[in-house]
């Protein structure tokens, strides 16, 4: 399910967005594709949902990180995926 309005996100989706935002190799474009949230909306969600110190630490870590933007990446295809990682199919997590 693609969420057009950040108010539509349930707690599970918010947790997943935060998890994806913390991951180094998950781009903002991937978050937008899956949840419909642009980079600025992800930043606002992180600011709203995290403690101030945690948010500042995340922003410092993410700013200027090439892997967070598809166009800035040096690798062109593929990504590491653990064999135990859940499959994500058409924006829904399958069990």
């Amino acid at each position: 399910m693609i969420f057009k309005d950040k108010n539509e996100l349930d707690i599970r989706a918010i947790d997943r967005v935060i998890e994806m935002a913390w991951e180094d190799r998950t781009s903002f474009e991937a978050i937008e594709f899956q949840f419909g949230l642009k980079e600025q909306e992800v930043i606002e969600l992180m600011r709203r949902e995290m403690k101030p110190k945690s948010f500042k630490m995340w922003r410092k870590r993410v700013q200027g990180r090439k892997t967070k933007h598809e166009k800035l990446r040096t690798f062109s295809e593929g990504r590491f995926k653990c064999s135990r990682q859940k499959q994500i199919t058409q924006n829904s997590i399958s069990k």
Side-chain angles (χ1 to χ4, degrees):
M1 175 185 286
I2 296 176
F3 300 95
K4 294 294 181 190
D5 183 8
K6 58 183 169 265
N7 295 327
E8 292 180 31
L9 296 175
D10 61 9
I11 190 71
R12 185 173 176 210
I14 290 171
D15 286 346
R16 183 65 184 135
V17 169
I18 291 171
E19 182 181 349
M20 290 174 75
W22 267 103
E23 294 170 350
D24 289 340
R25 290 189 172 258
T26 303
S27 67
F28 287 114
E29 289 84 359
I31 296 171
E32 183 176 2
F33 175 77
Q34 188 165 351
F35 294 98
L37 297 174
K38 296 185 184 295
E39 179 180 356
Q40 189 58 42
E41 293 170 320
V42 172
I43 293 168
E44 290 169 10
L45 182 138
M46 297 291 277
R47 179 177 282 127
R48 186 178 70 236
E49 297 294 326
M50 298 174 73
K51 294 178 184 175
K53 189 172 182 177
S54 297
F55 173 75
K56 287 177 185 177
M57 183 172 53
W58 173 76
R59 282 300 290 155
K60 183 177 179 181
R61 189 166 165 249
V62 169
Q63 265 180 330
R65 186 172 291 270
K66 292 181 180 182
T67 56
K68 293 307 280 184
H69 297 280
E70 300 267 336
K71 292 179 182 178
L72 299 177
R73 290 180 172 204
T74 56
F75 55 92
S76 59
E77 59 182 72
R79 66 175 187 88
F80 173 77
K81 182 176 177 186
C82 177
S83 61
R84 296 180 306 272
Q85 183 176 347
K86 291 182 180 179
Q87 297 294 320
I88 297 177
T89 311
Q90 208 56 356
N91 297 330
S92 61
I93 300 172
S94 59
K95 293 186 177 186

